[in-house]
Amino acid sequence: MTRRPGIRVSTLLTTLLVVGAATVAVPDPARAAAPATVCRVRDGRLTEISGMAATDSGFVMVNDGADEASRRRIFFLDTRCAVVRTVAYPSRPRDTEDLVLGADGTVWVADIGDNDRTRSTVALWKLAPGARRPVLHRLTYPDGAHDAEALLLDGAGRPVVVTKQGGSAGVYVPAGPLRAGATVPLTLAGQVRLPLTTTPNPYSFFGRRLVTGGAVAPDGRRVVLRTYADAFEYEVTDGDVVGALTGGTPRTVALPDEPQGESVSYSRDGRWLLTVSETAGQPPGTLPTVLRYARPSTPTPAASSPPAPTASTGAPAAASPGAAPAPGPRAGVGATRSLLLGVGVIGVGLLLAALVGVVRSRRTRR
């Protein structure tokens, strides 16, 4: 095969230009207020927490696909993060990745993880208030297997699944009512594109692009998606969670340096965002810690890619009590730093383009 000099440089140039353009619009993560510690989970069965929801009496949590039977349970914790009871599954789940709490107190566990994309069906476990065992509901995608880690409920109580993929994440909803013992097809309702950020996290660029959890505020007026690095909050109008995600402009709060942040929830009063990380593979003695972040107060500036125009969006709301303070003088510093970095990256890209032109010109003369 004939080698074509300059192809890799051109690819690098394109990447630099894209990153440079996106960087200009990225807010400074240094403005984010430090989170407060709510409590630490000391139960050794909860080291791979992938889903969390706040309750009036504490929290509900699940691990992801754990090998040990003692960890394959739905855990109920008090306000100090002590386990007070557990509920076992009637059969072995595959990969439980998120958890939400319905308006009536029903616990929904999302058995939707599929790292290798080999599952023919995914599932939701539904634990009604007072029930001793959750009920299994199977679902299937219309376009092949997907890995997913975020489950939401819209205003009508309909499940919404958001896939874990870079770029555009798929937003799927059941095509009809769920039926125990039956497989219900999902339908693609739209796509969501998250803004680029520069928030430090263990997975660098990729950690800022992959959706690892989600939650809807108790009043149903806001929805949040999180990555390993950030949380993105959208306004919801008339319970239309899909429309908010696919057509809205999010507000962003940085969640820097969480060990492996996969869970997010609203506090019961809706004033705060709560997160917790997996701690498997961390240094001995590292405990899962529930952190409390102030909700973001201002929309994120223009991102590298606009949201897909597949649904209407609600109007931005005013800052709520407990929200993060409006950007102060550091915001200007962060914007200037981002602008200079973006200009610098674009400049390097243009210099590379000039060098490629010189090299090609010399080869042509030969």
Side-chain angles (χ1 to χ4, degrees):
M1 181 176 67
T2 305
R3 183 178 178 85
R4 295 185 177 181
I7 291 180
R8 292 184 179 178
V9 176
S10 300
T11 302
L12 176 59
L13 171 60
T14 302
T15 303
L16 287 169
L17 291 174
V18 170
V19 172
T23 304
V24 174
V26 170
D28 184 357
R31 290 192 290 109
T37 296
V38 177
C39 56
R40 290 184 170 86
V41 181
R42 300 181 183 279
D43 194 304
R45 294 171 294 179
L46 280 166
T47 59
E48 299 178 88
I49 300 171
S50 57
M52 172 183 67
T55 69
D56 291 333
S57 57
F59 307 94
V60 188
M61 298 183 183
V62 291
N63 290 301
D64 67 8
D67 294 331
E68 297 182 23
S70 64
R71 300 182 181 183
R72 296 195 298 268
R73 291 174 171 267
I74 302 172
F75 293 83
F76 292 81
L77 296 80
D78 62 19
T79 56
R80 295 179 298 176
C81 283
V83 174
V84 294
R85 75 182 180 103
T86 67
V87 174
Y89 301 96
S91 59
R92 180 170 180 168
R94 293 282 298 274
D95 193 355
T96 51
E97 288 289 358
D98 204 3
L99 179 150
V100 297
L101 192 68
D104 62 352
T106 296
V107 175
W108 295 78
V109 178
D111 190 352
I112 55 177
D114 190 9
N115 292 331
D116 298 325
R117 294 171 176 79
T118 58
R119 297 178 64 171
S120 58
T121 64
V122 292
L124 301 179
W125 297 89
K126 186 178 179 181
L127 180 67
R132 300 181 62 183
R133 293 288 185 271
V135 176
L136 180 66
H137 298 272
R138 296 189 183 279
L139 304 163
T140 184
Y141 290 103
D143 50 1
H146 295 278
D147 188 23
E149 294 189 3
L151 176 67
L152 307 162
L153 295 178
D154 67 12
R158 180 180 60 169
V160 179
V161 175
V162 182
T163 60
K164 183 182 182 181
Q165 59 195 62
S168 296
V171 180
Y172 292 84
V173 297
L178 300 184
R179 302 189 304 276
T183 299
V184 175
L186 291 164
T187 182
L188 178 63
Q191 295 180 322
V192 58
R193 296 184 68 87
L194 301 177
L196 288 175
T197 74
T198 58
T199 307
N201 69 94
Y203 306 103
S204 189
F205 172 81
F206 299 100
R208 305 180 194 114
R209 307 299 291 161
L210 303 175
V211 175
T212 62
V216 176
D219 63 5
R221 297 172 59 184
R222 299 178 303 279
V223 60
V224 64
L225 294 177
R226 73 157 298 165
T227 64
Y228 290 111
D230 303 278
F232 301 92
E233 185 184 60
Y234 299 78
E235 295 292 328
V236 178
T237 302
D238 297 328
D240 186 7
V241 169
V242 172
L245 295 178
T246 58
T249 300
R251 295 185 289 258
T252 305
V253 59
L255 313 174
D257 299 319
E258 293 194 1
Q260 187 170 333
E262 296 195 4
S263 304
V264 65
S265 175
Y266 282 92
S267 60
R268 291 302 290 165
D269 59 9
R271 295 179 58 194
W272 310 94
L273 292 178
L274 305 175
T275 70
V276 67
S277 290
E278 291 191 17
T279 55
Q282 297 300 310
T286 303
L287 296 175
T289 302
V290 177
L291 299 174
R292 186 182 71 191
Y293 291 86
R295 289 181 43 244
S297 60
T298 56
T300 301
S304 58
S305 301
T310 56
S312 60
T313 178
S320 302
R330 280 200 58 82
V333 175
T336 302
R337 184 185 299 123
S338 295
L339 178 61
L340 292 174
L341 179 59
V343 171
V345 171
I346 292 174
V348 171
L350 293 175
L351 178 60
L352 283 173
L355 291 175
V356 170
V358 171
V359 171
R360 286 177 175 171
S361 174
R362 290 180 177 177
R363 289 179 177 173
T364 301
R365 292 173 184 172
R366 292 176 184 175

